[in-house]
Amino acid sequence: MAENRPGAHAPKTQERTRIDGIDAARALAVLGMFVVHVSVDSFGLLDPDGAGQAVHDLVRGNSSALFAFLAGLSLALMTGRTRPVSGEPLRLVVVKVLTRALVIGMLGLMLDTLAVPVAVILTYYAGFFVLALPLAKLRAGALVSVAAGLAAVGPPLSFLLRQDLVPPRTPQGAVSSLSEFLLTGYYPAITFMVFVFAGMAVGRLDLGATAIRVRLLATGAALTASGYAGSWAALYVFGGLDRLAQGSGSSLGYPASIAEDPQLRENLREQVMDEAYSISGQVPTDSWWWLAVGTPHTGTHFEMAESVGQALLVLVACLWLAERARFLMYPLTSVGRMPLTVYTGHLFVLAVVVGVLGPMDWHTPWLLEWLVLGAVVFAVAWRLLLGRGPLERFLGLCADNTALLYQENRRERHGPPAP
Protein backbone atom coordinates (compact mmCIF):
# COMPACT_ATOMS: atom_id res chain seq x y z
CA MET A 1 0.00 0.00 0.00
CA ALA A 2 2.88 2.29 0.75
CA GLU A 3 4.19 2.33 -2.81
CA ASN A 4 1.31 3.87 -4.77
CA ARG A 5 1.92 6.68 -7.23
CA PRO A 6 1.05 10.20 -6.12
CA GLY A 7 -2.07 10.75 -8.20
CA ALA A 8 -4.35 9.56 -10.90
CA HIS A 9 -2.55 11.62 -13.53
CA ALA A 10 1.04 11.16 -12.40
CA PRO A 11 3.81 11.70 -14.96
CA LYS A 12 4.93 8.72 -16.96
CA THR A 13 8.32 8.77 -15.25
CA GLN A 14 6.61 8.16 -11.92
CA GLU A 15 4.29 5.55 -13.41
CA ARG A 16 7.33 3.55 -14.53
CA THR A 17 8.63 3.43 -10.96
CA ARG A 18 5.90 0.92 -10.10
CA ILE A 19 6.75 -2.73 -10.39
CA ASP A 20 3.71 -4.55 -11.71
CA GLY A 21 4.86 -7.89 -10.33
CA ILE A 22 4.72 -6.52 -6.78
CA ASP A 23 1.19 -5.28 -7.40
CA ALA A 24 0.20 -8.73 -8.68
CA ALA A 25 1.69 -10.41 -5.61
CA ARG A 26 -0.12 -7.96 -3.36
CA ALA A 27 -3.38 -8.79 -5.12
CA LEU A 28 -2.83 -12.50 -4.48
CA ALA A 29 -2.28 -11.74 -0.80
CA VAL A 30 -5.53 -9.77 -0.54
CA LEU A 31 -7.60 -12.26 -2.54
CA GLY A 32 -6.06 -15.10 -0.53
CA MET A 33 -7.41 -13.44 2.61
CA PHE A 34 -10.82 -13.41 0.92
CA VAL A 35 -10.54 -17.21 0.68
CA VAL A 36 -9.69 -17.57 4.36
CA HIS A 37 -12.33 -15.13 5.55
CA VAL A 38 -15.29 -16.79 3.84
CA SER A 39 -14.17 -20.44 4.44
CA VAL A 40 -14.71 -23.41 2.14
CA ASP A 41 -18.48 -23.41 2.69
CA SER A 42 -18.66 -20.26 0.56
CA PHE A 43 -17.00 -21.83 -2.48
CA GLY A 44 -19.12 -22.55 -5.52
CA LEU A 45 -16.66 -23.46 -8.25
CA LEU A 46 -14.43 -25.71 -6.11
CA ASP A 47 -15.56 -28.75 -4.15
CA PRO A 48 -15.43 -27.73 -0.46
CA ASP A 49 -14.25 -31.20 0.54
CA GLY A 50 -11.65 -31.49 -2.23
CA ALA A 51 -9.95 -28.77 -4.23
CA GLY A 52 -11.63 -26.04 -2.20
CA GLN A 53 -10.15 -27.33 1.05
CA ALA A 54 -6.74 -27.67 -0.61
CA VAL A 55 -6.83 -24.04 -1.78
CA HIS A 56 -7.96 -22.87 1.65
CA ASP A 57 -5.13 -24.79 3.35
CA LEU A 58 -2.62 -23.37 0.87
CA VAL A 59 -3.49 -19.71 1.42
CA ARG A 60 -4.32 -19.75 5.14
CA GLY A 61 -1.47 -18.10 6.95
CA ASN A 62 0.53 -17.63 3.76
CA SER A 63 -1.69 -14.77 2.55
CA SER A 64 -1.29 -12.68 5.68
CA ALA A 65 2.44 -13.47 5.77
CA LEU A 66 2.76 -12.40 2.13
CA PHE A 67 0.85 -9.22 2.95
CA ALA A 68 3.35 -8.39 5.72
CA PHE A 69 6.30 -9.37 3.52
CA LEU A 70 5.13 -6.97 0.81
CA ALA A 71 4.62 -4.24 3.41
CA GLY A 72 8.31 -4.51 4.21
CA LEU A 73 9.20 -4.54 0.53
CA SER A 74 7.12 -1.42 -0.08
CA LEU A 75 8.80 0.34 2.83
CA ALA A 76 12.19 -0.44 1.30
CA LEU A 77 11.04 1.01 -2.01
CA MET A 78 9.84 4.16 -0.26
CA THR A 79 13.16 4.62 1.52
CA GLY A 80 15.52 4.47 -1.43
CA ARG A 81 15.23 0.99 -2.94
CA THR A 82 18.80 -0.31 -3.38
CA ARG A 83 20.31 2.84 -1.80
CA PRO A 84 18.67 3.75 1.51
CA VAL A 85 18.02 7.45 1.94
CA SER A 86 19.18 9.41 4.95
CA GLY A 87 19.00 12.89 6.37
CA GLU A 88 16.07 15.11 5.38
CA PRO A 89 14.68 12.73 2.70
CA LEU A 90 14.50 9.97 5.30
CA ARG A 91 12.80 12.26 7.81
CA LEU A 92 10.17 13.13 5.21
CA VAL A 93 9.55 9.44 4.55
CA VAL A 94 9.26 8.80 8.29
CA VAL A 95 6.62 11.52 8.60
CA LYS A 96 4.66 10.07 5.68
CA VAL A 97 4.88 6.50 6.92
CA LEU A 98 3.82 7.43 10.44
CA THR A 99 0.86 9.32 9.01
CA ARG A 100 -0.11 6.33 6.89
CA ALA A 101 0.26 4.05 9.89
CA LEU A 102 -2.01 6.25 11.98
CA VAL A 103 -4.73 6.39 9.32
CA ILE A 104 -4.52 2.65 8.59
CA GLY A 105 -4.62 1.84 12.30
CA MET A 106 -7.71 3.97 12.83
CA LEU A 107 -9.34 2.37 9.80
CA GLY A 108 -8.58 -1.05 11.24
CA LEU A 109 -10.24 -0.13 14.53
CA MET A 110 -13.28 1.16 12.66
CA LEU A 111 -13.55 -2.01 10.56
CA ASP A 112 -13.43 -4.08 13.71
CA THR A 113 -16.66 -2.43 14.85
CA LEU A 114 -18.47 -4.01 11.89
CA ALA A 115 -18.46 -7.23 13.92
CA VAL A 116 -17.61 -9.35 10.88
CA PRO A 117 -16.12 -12.69 12.04
CA VAL A 118 -12.74 -11.80 10.52
CA ALA A 119 -9.40 -11.06 12.19
CA VAL A 120 -8.75 -7.57 10.75
CA ILE A 121 -5.05 -7.19 10.00
CA LEU A 122 -4.89 -3.43 9.42
CA THR A 123 -4.26 -2.37 13.02
CA TYR A 124 -1.36 -4.81 13.25
CA TYR A 125 -0.19 -3.73 9.80
CA ALA A 126 0.05 -0.12 10.97
CA GLY A 127 2.12 -1.16 13.96
CA PHE A 128 4.47 -3.18 11.77
CA PHE A 129 5.35 -0.05 9.82
CA VAL A 130 6.19 1.80 13.03
CA LEU A 131 8.41 -1.02 14.28
CA ALA A 132 10.20 -1.27 10.93
CA LEU A 133 11.05 2.43 10.54
CA PRO A 134 14.16 2.39 12.80
CA LEU A 135 15.73 -0.11 10.39
CA ALA A 136 14.93 1.84 7.24
CA LYS A 137 18.58 2.84 6.72
CA LEU A 138 19.86 -0.73 6.68
CA ARG A 139 20.94 -2.51 3.53
CA ALA A 140 19.90 -5.97 2.38
CA GLY A 141 22.56 -7.97 4.22
CA ALA A 142 21.86 -6.34 7.57
CA LEU A 143 18.11 -6.77 7.13
CA VAL A 144 18.55 -10.46 6.32
CA SER A 145 20.54 -10.83 9.55
CA VAL A 146 17.81 -9.06 11.55
CA ALA A 147 15.08 -11.22 10.02
CA ALA A 148 17.06 -14.43 10.58
CA GLY A 149 17.93 -13.46 14.15
CA LEU A 150 14.33 -12.69 15.05
CA ALA A 151 13.20 -15.91 13.37
CA ALA A 152 15.70 -17.85 15.47
CA VAL A 153 14.98 -16.34 18.89
CA GLY A 154 11.33 -15.32 18.41
CA PRO A 155 9.55 -18.69 18.83
CA PRO A 156 11.32 -19.80 22.05
CA LEU A 157 11.22 -16.27 23.47
CA SER A 158 7.50 -16.01 22.79
CA PHE A 159 6.97 -19.45 24.32
CA LEU A 160 8.79 -18.47 27.52
CA LEU A 161 7.12 -15.07 27.86
CA ARG A 162 3.64 -16.45 27.27
CA GLN A 163 4.31 -19.39 29.57
CA ASP A 164 5.43 -17.30 32.53
CA LEU A 165 4.23 -13.72 32.08
CA VAL A 166 1.27 -13.43 29.71
CA PRO A 167 -1.89 -15.42 30.51
CA PRO A 168 -3.40 -17.14 27.46
CA ARG A 169 -6.61 -15.70 26.09
CA THR A 170 -8.45 -15.66 22.79
CA PRO A 171 -8.28 -12.29 21.00
CA GLN A 172 -11.69 -10.67 20.73
CA GLY A 173 -11.00 -8.29 17.85
CA ALA A 174 -8.46 -5.68 16.87
CA VAL A 175 -5.44 -5.04 19.04
CA SER A 176 -6.50 -4.24 22.60
CA SER A 177 -3.14 -4.31 24.40
CA LEU A 178 0.60 -4.16 23.76
CA SER A 179 1.06 -7.79 24.77
CA GLU A 180 -1.60 -8.81 22.25
CA PHE A 181 0.12 -6.85 19.48
CA LEU A 182 3.52 -8.29 20.30
CA LEU A 183 2.77 -11.84 21.45
CA THR A 184 -0.76 -13.17 21.71
CA GLY A 185 -2.84 -11.63 18.92
CA TYR A 186 -3.87 -13.07 15.60
CA TYR A 187 -0.83 -11.50 13.88
CA PRO A 188 1.76 -11.13 16.66
CA ALA A 189 4.65 -8.82 15.85
CA ILE A 190 7.23 -11.26 17.20
CA THR A 191 6.32 -13.49 14.26
CA PHE A 192 5.17 -11.08 11.57
CA MET A 193 8.11 -8.69 11.85
CA VAL A 194 10.21 -11.53 10.45
CA PHE A 195 8.12 -11.30 7.28
CA VAL A 196 8.37 -7.50 7.25
CA PHE A 197 12.17 -7.48 7.67
CA ALA A 198 12.55 -10.19 5.04
CA GLY A 199 10.46 -8.09 2.64
CA MET A 200 12.60 -5.02 3.39
CA ALA A 201 15.73 -7.02 2.59
CA VAL A 202 14.29 -8.10 -0.75
CA GLY A 203 13.23 -4.53 -1.51
CA ARG A 204 16.87 -3.45 -1.17
CA LEU A 205 17.84 -5.73 -4.08
CA ASP A 206 17.74 -5.03 -7.81
CA LEU A 207 14.57 -6.94 -8.57
CA GLY A 208 15.02 -6.37 -12.29
CA ALA A 209 18.23 -8.41 -12.38
CA THR A 210 17.88 -12.00 -13.56
CA ALA A 211 20.62 -13.22 -11.22
CA ILE A 212 18.81 -11.72 -8.22
CA ARG A 213 15.56 -13.38 -9.22
CA VAL A 214 17.25 -16.75 -9.63
CA ARG A 215 18.77 -16.41 -6.16
CA LEU A 216 15.40 -15.45 -4.68
CA LEU A 217 13.76 -18.40 -6.42
CA ALA A 218 16.39 -20.83 -5.10
CA THR A 219 16.19 -19.35 -1.60
CA GLY A 220 12.40 -19.53 -1.63
CA ALA A 221 12.43 -23.17 -2.72
CA ALA A 222 15.03 -24.08 -0.08
CA LEU A 223 13.16 -22.32 2.73
CA THR A 224 9.83 -23.85 1.73
CA ALA A 225 11.26 -27.36 1.51
CA SER A 226 13.19 -27.05 4.77
CA GLY A 227 10.12 -25.75 6.60
CA TYR A 228 7.86 -28.58 5.55
CA ALA A 229 10.51 -31.29 5.76
CA GLY A 230 11.86 -30.05 9.09
CA SER A 231 8.44 -30.05 10.74
CA TRP A 232 7.64 -33.49 9.31
CA ALA A 233 10.91 -34.90 10.63
CA ALA A 234 10.48 -33.34 14.07
CA LEU A 235 6.95 -34.69 14.40
CA TYR A 236 7.18 -38.12 12.76
CA VAL A 237 10.87 -39.10 12.88
CA PHE A 238 11.94 -37.64 16.21
CA GLY A 239 8.67 -38.40 17.98
CA GLY A 240 7.26 -34.92 18.49
CA LEU A 241 3.74 -35.90 17.49
CA ASP A 242 3.71 -38.87 19.90
CA ARG A 243 4.97 -36.63 22.71
CA LEU A 244 2.16 -34.18 22.06
CA ALA A 245 -0.36 -37.03 21.81
CA GLN A 246 0.93 -38.40 25.11
CA GLY A 247 0.41 -35.01 26.74
CA SER A 248 -3.04 -34.70 25.23
CA GLY A 249 -3.96 -38.16 26.48
CA SER A 250 -2.72 -37.39 29.98
CA SER A 251 -4.80 -34.22 30.12
CA LEU A 252 -7.86 -36.28 29.19
CA GLY A 253 -7.18 -38.85 31.90
CA TYR A 254 -5.83 -41.66 29.71
CA PRO A 255 -3.08 -43.97 31.01
CA ALA A 256 0.48 -42.66 31.14
CA SER A 257 1.48 -44.76 28.13
CA ILE A 258 -0.56 -44.88 24.96
CA ALA A 259 1.86 -47.05 23.01
CA GLU A 260 -0.02 -50.23 23.90
CA ASP A 261 -3.22 -49.04 22.22
CA PRO A 262 -2.51 -48.19 18.56
CA GLN A 263 -6.04 -46.95 17.89
CA LEU A 264 -6.01 -44.64 20.90
CA ARG A 265 -2.61 -43.34 19.89
CA GLU A 266 -3.77 -42.64 16.36
CA ASN A 267 -6.91 -40.87 17.60
CA LEU A 268 -4.85 -38.68 19.90
CA ARG A 269 -2.40 -37.89 17.10
CA GLU A 270 -5.29 -36.77 14.91
CA GLN A 271 -6.60 -34.59 17.74
CA VAL A 272 -3.19 -32.97 18.09
CA MET A 273 -2.98 -32.18 14.39
CA ASP A 274 -6.54 -30.85 14.40
CA GLU A 275 -5.55 -28.54 17.24
CA ALA A 276 -2.40 -27.51 15.38
CA TYR A 277 -4.44 -26.50 12.32
CA SER A 278 -6.88 -24.52 14.48
CA ILE A 279 -4.20 -22.32 16.08
CA SER A 280 -4.56 -18.60 15.35
CA GLY A 281 -1.47 -16.74 16.48
CA GLN A 282 0.84 -18.78 18.70
CA VAL A 283 1.24 -22.37 19.85
CA PRO A 284 0.15 -23.55 23.33
CA THR A 285 2.79 -23.46 26.06
CA ASP A 286 2.15 -26.81 27.75
CA SER A 287 4.89 -28.59 25.75
CA TRP A 288 8.01 -27.44 23.91
CA TRP A 289 7.17 -29.98 21.21
CA TRP A 290 4.52 -27.56 19.92
CA LEU A 291 7.43 -25.66 18.33
CA ALA A 292 7.85 -28.66 16.01
CA VAL A 293 4.61 -28.01 14.13
CA GLY A 294 4.60 -26.01 10.91
CA THR A 295 0.90 -25.33 10.47
CA PRO A 296 -0.39 -21.80 9.66
CA HIS A 297 -0.44 -19.06 12.30
CA THR A 298 1.72 -21.01 14.76
CA GLY A 299 4.76 -18.71 14.73
CA THR A 300 7.27 -21.56 14.80
CA HIS A 301 10.62 -21.71 13.01
CA PHE A 302 9.14 -24.09 10.46
CA GLU A 303 6.06 -22.02 9.74
CA MET A 304 8.15 -18.87 9.25
CA ALA A 305 10.50 -20.69 6.85
CA GLU A 306 7.52 -21.98 4.85
CA SER A 307 5.85 -18.57 4.70
CA VAL A 308 8.95 -16.56 3.72
CA GLY A 309 9.91 -19.22 1.19
CA GLN A 310 6.51 -19.21 -0.45
CA ALA A 311 6.41 -15.39 -0.43
CA LEU A 312 9.67 -15.38 -2.40
CA LEU A 313 8.31 -17.93 -4.88
CA VAL A 314 5.10 -15.94 -5.40
CA LEU A 315 7.03 -12.69 -5.83
CA VAL A 316 9.42 -14.06 -8.45
CA ALA A 317 6.57 -15.75 -10.35
CA CYS A 318 4.55 -12.52 -10.37
CA LEU A 319 7.55 -10.43 -11.48
CA TRP A 320 8.13 -12.80 -14.38
CA LEU A 321 4.48 -13.06 -15.42
CA ALA A 322 3.80 -9.33 -15.13
CA GLU A 323 6.57 -8.64 -17.63
CA ARG A 324 5.60 -11.35 -20.11
CA ALA A 325 1.82 -11.36 -19.85
CA ARG A 326 1.02 -7.76 -18.97
CA PHE A 327 -2.48 -7.83 -20.45
CA LEU A 328 -3.45 -11.08 -18.72
CA MET A 329 -2.06 -9.83 -15.41
CA TYR A 330 -3.82 -6.46 -15.69
CA PRO A 331 -6.77 -7.50 -13.47
CA LEU A 332 -4.39 -8.68 -10.74
CA THR A 333 -2.16 -5.64 -10.92
CA SER A 334 -5.25 -3.43 -10.76
CA VAL A 335 -6.34 -5.07 -7.50
CA GLY A 336 -2.78 -4.80 -6.20
CA ARG A 337 -2.71 -1.06 -6.86
CA MET A 338 -5.60 -0.49 -4.45
CA PRO A 339 -5.25 -3.18 -1.74
CA LEU A 340 -6.54 -0.98 1.07
CA THR A 341 -9.69 -0.15 -0.90
CA VAL A 342 -10.30 -3.76 -1.91
CA TYR A 343 -9.60 -5.15 1.57
CA THR A 344 -11.84 -2.58 3.24
CA GLY A 345 -14.56 -2.99 0.64
CA HIS A 346 -14.80 -6.75 1.05
CA LEU A 347 -15.28 -6.34 4.81
CA PHE A 348 -18.17 -3.93 4.23
CA VAL A 349 -19.72 -6.42 1.81
CA LEU A 350 -19.31 -9.23 4.35
CA ALA A 351 -20.91 -7.03 7.02
CA VAL A 352 -23.98 -6.63 4.78
CA VAL A 353 -24.08 -10.35 3.99
CA VAL A 354 -23.82 -11.30 7.68
CA GLY A 355 -26.50 -8.75 8.55
CA VAL A 356 -28.90 -10.07 5.91
CA LEU A 357 -28.33 -13.82 6.23
CA GLY A 358 -27.44 -13.97 9.92
CA PRO A 359 -24.21 -14.88 11.73
CA MET A 360 -24.83 -18.62 11.36
CA ASP A 361 -25.99 -18.82 7.73
CA TRP A 362 -23.86 -16.31 5.82
CA HIS A 363 -21.44 -18.90 4.36
CA THR A 364 -23.49 -19.26 1.20
CA PRO A 365 -22.05 -21.01 -1.89
CA TRP A 366 -20.50 -18.79 -4.58
CA LEU A 367 -19.92 -15.96 -2.10
CA LEU A 368 -16.15 -16.20 -2.68
CA GLU A 369 -16.46 -16.06 -6.43
CA TRP A 370 -18.76 -13.03 -6.29
CA LEU A 371 -16.37 -11.25 -3.92
CA VAL A 372 -13.36 -11.90 -6.15
CA LEU A 373 -15.24 -10.96 -9.33
CA GLY A 374 -16.57 -7.78 -7.74
CA ALA A 375 -13.13 -6.77 -6.49
CA VAL A 376 -11.49 -7.36 -9.88
CA VAL A 377 -14.20 -5.56 -11.89
CA PHE A 378 -14.19 -2.60 -9.50
CA ALA A 379 -10.40 -2.32 -9.47
CA VAL A 380 -10.04 -2.53 -13.26
CA ALA A 381 -12.85 -0.02 -13.90
CA TRP A 382 -11.60 2.43 -11.30
CA ARG A 383 -8.02 2.19 -12.57
CA LEU A 384 -9.09 2.81 -16.17
CA LEU A 385 -11.38 5.72 -15.32
CA LEU A 386 -9.84 7.38 -12.26
CA GLY A 387 -6.41 5.88 -11.66
CA ARG A 388 -5.45 5.59 -8.03
CA GLY A 389 -7.78 3.77 -5.62
CA PRO A 390 -10.02 5.98 -3.44
CA LEU A 391 -8.57 5.01 -0.08
CA GLU A 392 -5.04 4.99 -1.49
CA ARG A 393 -5.64 8.52 -2.79
CA PHE A 394 -6.92 9.62 0.62
CA LEU A 395 -3.97 7.97 2.36
CA GLY A 396 -1.53 9.70 0.02
CA LEU A 397 -3.16 13.09 0.56
CA CYS A 398 -2.94 12.69 4.33
CA ALA A 399 0.73 11.71 4.13
CA ASP A 400 1.66 14.44 1.65
CA ASN A 401 -0.12 17.18 3.60
CA THR A 402 1.50 16.09 6.85
CA ALA A 403 4.89 16.16 5.14
CA LEU A 404 4.18 19.71 3.90
CA LEU A 405 3.28 20.83 7.42
CA TYR A 406 6.48 19.23 8.69
CA GLN A 407 8.57 21.06 6.08
CA GLU A 408 6.91 24.39 6.80
CA ASN A 409 7.50 23.92 10.52
CA ARG A 410 11.18 23.19 9.93
CA ARG A 411 11.55 26.26 7.72
CA GLU A 412 9.99 28.44 10.41
CA ARG A 413 12.32 27.03 13.05
CA HIS A 414 15.55 26.73 11.06
CA GLY A 415 15.12 28.99 8.03
CA PRO A 416 15.33 27.99 4.36
CA PRO A 417 17.79 25.24 3.43
CA ALA A 418 21.30 26.28 2.41
CA PRO A 419 21.81 26.64 -1.39
Side-chain angles (χ1 to χ4, degrees), residues 124-186:
Y124 292 88
Y125 189 82
F128 299 158
F129 272 121
V130 176
L131 291 181
L133 274 176
L135 279 70
K137 294 175 66 174
L138 297 184
R139 292 185 177 270
L143 288 165
V144 168
S145 298
V146 171
L150 182 58
V153 304
L157 178 61
S158 171
F159 190 98
L160 288 171
L161 290 174
R162 289 181 298 109
Q163 185 181 54
D164 297 329
L165 299 177
V166 182
R169 73 184 189 90
T170 302
Q172 299 300 313
V175 183
S176 60
S177 67
L178 183 61
S179 63
E180 191 169 295
F181 170 69
L182 294 173
L183 293 170
T184 63
Y186 288 113

Side-chain angles (χ1 to χ4, degrees), residues 329-346:
M329 296 292 283
Y330 192 87
L332 270 186
T333 58
S334 298
V335 172
R337 284 171 177 251
M338 51 189 79
L340 185 60
T341 297
V342 171
Y343 181 90
T344 301
H346 102 281

Side-chain angles (χ1 to χ4, degrees), residues 74-118:
S74 295
L75 183 59
L77 298 183
M78 288 184 67
T79 54
R81 301 199 174 199
T82 58
R83 294 184 178 181
V85 297
S86 59
E88 185 62 16
L90 177 60
R91 285 192 285 270
L92 277 176
V93 172
V94 169
V95 170
K96 289 185 177 183
V97 171
L98 289 177
T99 303
R100 290 170 179 266
L102 177 62
V103 174
I104 291 172
M106 294 175 63
L107 178 60
L109 291 173
M110 184 273 290
L111 291 175
D112 201 55
T113 64
L114 296 177
V116 178
V118 166

Side-chain angles (χ1 to χ4, degrees), residues 106-310:
M106 294 175 63
L107 178 60
L109 291 173
M110 184 273 290
L111 291 175
D112 201 55
T113 64
L114 296 177
V116 178
V118 166
V120 179
I121 197 174
L122 293 184
T123 313
Y124 292 88
Y125 189 82
F128 299 158
F129 272 121
V130 176
L131 291 181
L133 274 176
L135 279 70
K137 294 175 66 174
L138 297 184
R139 292 185 177 270
L143 288 165
V144 168
S145 298
V146 171
L150 182 58
V153 304
L157 178 61
S158 171
F159 190 98
L160 288 171
L161 290 174
R162 289 181 298 109
Q163 185 181 54
D164 297 329
L165 299 177
V166 182
R169 73 184 189 90
T170 302
Q172 299 300 313
V175 183
S176 60
S177 67
L178 183 61
S179 63
E180 191 169 295
F181 170 69
L182 294 173
L183 293 170
T184 63
Y186 288 113
Y187 311 103
I190 199 166
T191 297
F192 273 75
M193 288 309 298
V194 173
F195 309 141
V196 175
F197 293 142
M200 290 176 68
V202 172
R204 291 281 180 246
L205 303 175
D206 180 7
L207 294 177
T210 300
I212 294 295
R213 294 185 182 183
V214 171
R215 285 165 53 191
L216 292 177
L217 192 66
T219 301
L223 284 173
T224 302
S226 63
Y228 283 109
S231 177
W232 179 86
L235 290 173
Y236 294 96
V237 177
F238 296 104
L241 185 56
D242 285 335
R243 297 292 186 88
L244 291 171
Q246 182 76 55
S248 177
S250 298
S251 66
L252 294 173
Y254 289 110
S257 175
I258 62 173
E260 298 176 359
D261 189 338
Q263 186 59 52
L264 175 59
R265 180 177 62 183
E266 188 60 32
N267 290 342
L268 290 173
R269 292 173 74 173
E270 290 180 3
Q271 289 180 26
V272 167
M273 292 310 300
D274 286 343
E275 182 176 357
Y277 276 101
S278 68
I279 292 172
S280 297
Q282 293 287 342
V283 296
T285 57
D286 57 341
S287 171
W288 282 94
W289 280 106
W290 280 112
L291 295 180
V293 304
T295 48
H297 289 296
T298 49
T300 66
H301 301 101
F302 301 117
E303 191 242 342
M304 285 189 279
E306 295 164 13
S307 296
V308 173
Q310 289 170 113

